C-alpha cells in the first residue's frame, strides 16, 4: 500500500490520512508517495463522469481511505456548487483545448482541491481518532485563501487562518476574502508579498516550541497550501479527465500523447500533471508558463534556481511567486529519491538564495519546457483569442496560452495541447475588459459589469453582488508577526 515519505530523507513514513493531517513533514520536507501507482488503460475510463474519474484517481493515491469514505468525500465535494454540469468542461478554442477548472465557488482552480480537502481532512481526523482542533494556516497569493475559506467555513473541529499580501491581490480577490462569513474564519493582510506570507507560515510550522504550546491547548496545525498532499492528489484527477475527454472527442487515439500547459506559481498544478503522467497518461511535454516573475523559466533553461532578483506585482497575481514550494517534490523524484541531496539544495536556497541542480536532475527536467509572458503579451493574448475565437480567458490562462504559442513556433510540435484554464476572466476583470477593447471603469466591480455586458459570458455566482457584502476582516499585520495573529485568532 502506498504511503508517504519526506523529500528531505527522514525515515518517518505516514499513511495518506496522517500526511493530510500533518501537512508538512518534521524535517521540513514535503510528503511524496513512496511508490507510483498505476491507472491502467485510460481508455477504460471513457464514459465515466468527473466524480467517477476523481474517485478512481484518489483511490490510487489515498489507499488507506475506505471506498465508502472516498465516495463520500468525492460526492460531497463535486456537486451542484459547481456551476458547470460536467464540473470541468474541456473546450476547444483556436488551436488548443482549455480545461476550465474555475467553475467552483470562488471562480479559480483552487476550488478543485479545496472543495474536497475539508472532507478528506475531517475523514482523516476520524480515522486517526484525532481529538485536537485543527487550525489550518494558509498563505495565499490571492485565490487559495478564498477557496480555503469557502471550503472550511463552519467545518466543525477546524479553524481557518489566511494571510494574503495586502497590496498584492486584485480588488475582487481581496473583497472575496474580507467578506467571508463563518465563525471559524480569520483573514489577515500582511505588509509583504506572497513569499513573505508563505515563509512566515512555514516558520510557524517549524516552530516546535509553538507547536507544543498549541498542543497543550488542544490545537494542531495543518495546511491548506499545495504543500499538503490532500491538495495535490485531487488535482491529478482533472488531467486524467482531460485525456479521457480527448479520447471521447476523438481528438487523440489510444496511446497518443498530448502536451500540457500550466500557468505556474507554486508548482502544484503542474506537478499534478506530472503525477498524471507517472500513473499512465501519455504526456510529451509539460509547458511551464510564468509571468515576469520568471524564476522557473530560468531554472528550466539553466538548472540554476535563483531568487536574487526583483519581485514584480503583475496582472496575474496568483503567479507572483519566487519560491515555488512544490518544485522540491519534482526534484526529489528526479534525483532518484535522494533526500540528502534535496535537503542540501533547500538549505542553499535558504542561505545563499540560489541552488544549482545535478546533471541527473537536469536530464529529467527535459520533459519540461519553460517560458514566460509579460503583461503586454498577456493582454495581447486575451484580445486576440477573444477577437479571433470569441473565447474569453483570464490573465493567468493568457500567460499559458502565449507561452504555448511560443513553444509551437519554436518546436513545430502540434500534437493536442491541454491548457489549464485556472480562473474566470471576471476575477481579473479590469485586464480582460481593457484587453478586449473596452473603456476604463472606476473599479473592479464596474469592470465585471462592463465585461459581462460586452461578452455575454455568465458572471460566476460568487462574484455577483460582492461589493455590497459586509467587510468582516480588517486586520493587517507585519510580516514578522504572523504568530501573534495566529494566537489572537485561536485564543
Ligand atoms: C494558484 C494559481 C495559479 C498557480 O498555480 P500553482 O499550483 O501555484 O502553480 C495559476 N493561476 C491561478 C488563477 C491561480 O489561482
Amino acid at each position: 500500500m502506498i504511503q508517504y515519505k519526506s523529500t528531505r530523507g527522514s525515515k518517518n513514513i505516514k499513511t495518506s490520512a496522517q500526511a493530510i493531517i500533518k501537512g508538512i513533514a518534521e524535517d521540513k520536507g514535503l510528503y511524496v508517495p513512496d511508490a507510483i501507482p498505476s491507472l491502467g488503460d485510460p481508455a477504460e475510463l471513457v464514459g465515466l463522469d468527473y466524480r467517477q474519474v476523481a474517485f478512481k484517481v484518489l483511490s490510487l493515491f489515498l489507499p488507506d481511505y475506505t471506498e465508502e469514505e472516498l465516495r463520500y468525500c468525492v460526492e460531497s465535494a463535486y456537486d451542484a456548487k459547481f456551476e458547470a454540469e460536467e464540473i470541468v468542461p474541456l473546450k476547444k478554442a483556436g488551436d488548443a483545448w482549455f480545461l476550465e477548472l474555475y467553475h467552483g465557488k470562488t471562480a479559480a482552480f483552487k476550488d478543485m482541491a479545496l472543495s474536497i480537502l475539508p472532507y478528506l481532512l475531517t475523514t482523516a481526523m476520524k480515522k486517526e481518532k484525532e481529538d485536537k482542533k485543527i487550525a489550518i494556516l494558509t498563505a495565499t497569493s490571492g485565490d487559495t485563501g478564498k477557496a480555503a475559506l469557502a471550503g472550511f467555513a463552519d467545518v466543525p473541529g477546524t479553524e481557518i487562518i489566511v494571510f494574503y499580501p495586502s497590496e498584492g491581490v486584485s480588488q475582487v480577490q481581496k473583497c472575496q476574502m474580507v467578506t467571508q462569513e463563518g465563525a471559524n474564519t480569520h483573514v489577515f493582510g500582511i505588509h509583504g508579498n506572497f513569499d513573505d506570507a508563505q515563509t512566515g507560515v512555514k516558520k510557524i510550522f517549524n516552530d516546535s516550541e509553538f507547536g507544543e504550546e498549541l498542543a497543550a491547548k488542544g490545537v494542531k496545525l495543518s495546511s491548506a497550501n499545495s504543500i499538503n498532499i490532500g491538495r495535490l492528489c485531487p488535482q491529478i484527477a482533472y488531467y486524467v479527465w482531460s485525456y479521457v475527454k480527448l479520447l471521447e472527442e476523438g481528438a487523440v487515439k489510444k496511446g497518443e500523447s498530448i502536451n500540457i500547459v500550466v500557468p505556474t506559481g507554486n508548482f502544484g498544478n503542474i506537478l499534478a500533471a506530472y503525477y498524471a503522467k507517472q500513473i499512465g497518461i501519455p504526456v510529451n511535454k509539460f509547458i511551464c508558463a510564468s509571468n515576469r516573475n520568471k524564476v522557473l523559466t530560468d531554472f528550466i533553461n539553466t538548472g540554476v534556481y535563483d531568487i536574487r532578483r526583483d519581485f514584480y506585482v503583475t496582472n496575474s497575481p496568483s503567479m507572483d511567486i519566487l519560491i515555488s514550494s512544490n518544485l522540491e517534490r519534482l526534484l526529489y523524484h528526479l534525483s532518484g529519491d535522494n533526500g540528502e541531496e534535496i535537503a542540501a539544495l533547500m538549505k542553499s536556497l535558504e542561505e545563499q538564495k540560489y541552488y544549482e541542480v545535478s546533471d541527473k536532475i537536469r536530464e529529467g527536467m527535459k520533459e519540461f519546457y519553460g517560458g514566460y509572458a509579460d503583461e503586454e503579451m498577456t493582454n495581447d493574448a486575451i484580445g486576440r483569442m477573444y477577437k479571433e475565437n470569441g473565447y474569453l480567458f483570464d490573465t493567468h490562462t493568457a500567460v499559458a496560452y502565449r507561452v504555448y504559442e511560443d513553444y509551437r513556433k519554436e518546436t513545430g510540435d502540434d500534437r493536442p495541447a491541454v491548457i489549464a484554464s485556472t480562473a474566470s476572466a471576471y476575477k481579473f476583470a479590469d485586464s480582460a475588459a481593457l484587453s478586449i477593447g473596452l473603456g476604463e471603469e472606476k473599479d473592479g466591480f464596474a469592470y465585471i459589469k462592463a465585461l459581462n455586458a460586452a461578452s455575454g459570458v455568465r458572471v460566476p455566482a460568487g462574484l455577483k453582488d460582492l461589493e455590497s457584502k459586509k467587510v468582516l476582516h480588517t486586520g493587517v499585520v507585519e510580516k514578522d508577526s504572523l504568530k501573534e495573529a495566529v494566537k489572537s485568532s485561536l485564543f
Side-chain angles (χ1 to χ4, degrees), residues 11 66 85 101 157 170 204 239 281 291 400 469:
K11 298 281 175 292
T66 66
E85 176 80 39
L101 300 166
S170 82
I204 295 179
Y239 290 109
I281 298 300
N291 64 23
K469 286 213 171 126

Side-chain angles (χ1 to χ4, degrees), residues 21-22 121 125 130-137 157-161 184 186 204-205 207-223 483 485-491:
I21 294 174
K22 251 186 117 355
L121 179 65
M125 286 158 68
E130 176 65 64
D131 54 4
K132 291 199 178 61
K133 180 180 252 188
I134 304 281
I136 316 279
L137 289 196
T158 71
E159 296 283 330
I160 167 87
I161 306 170
N184 66 338
H186 313 274
I204 295 179
F205 276 115
D207 183 339
S208 48
E209 216 170 281
F210 188 50
E212 281 163 26
E213 185 185 333
L214 292 176
K217 294 180 174 170
V219 176
K220 197 166 182 168
L221 297 176
S222 187
S223 169
K483 204 155 116 180
V486 170
K487 279 191 196 167
S488 74
S489 303
L490 296 176
F491 311 114

Side-chain angles (χ1 to χ4, degrees), residues 260 270 273-274 277 283-288 367-369:
I260 292 181
I270 197 166
Y274 176 80
K277 176 170 184 177
V283 181
N284 171 53
K285 279 272 185 206
F286 303 98
I287 298 169
C288 176
E367 276 184 284
F368 288 76
Y369 171 92

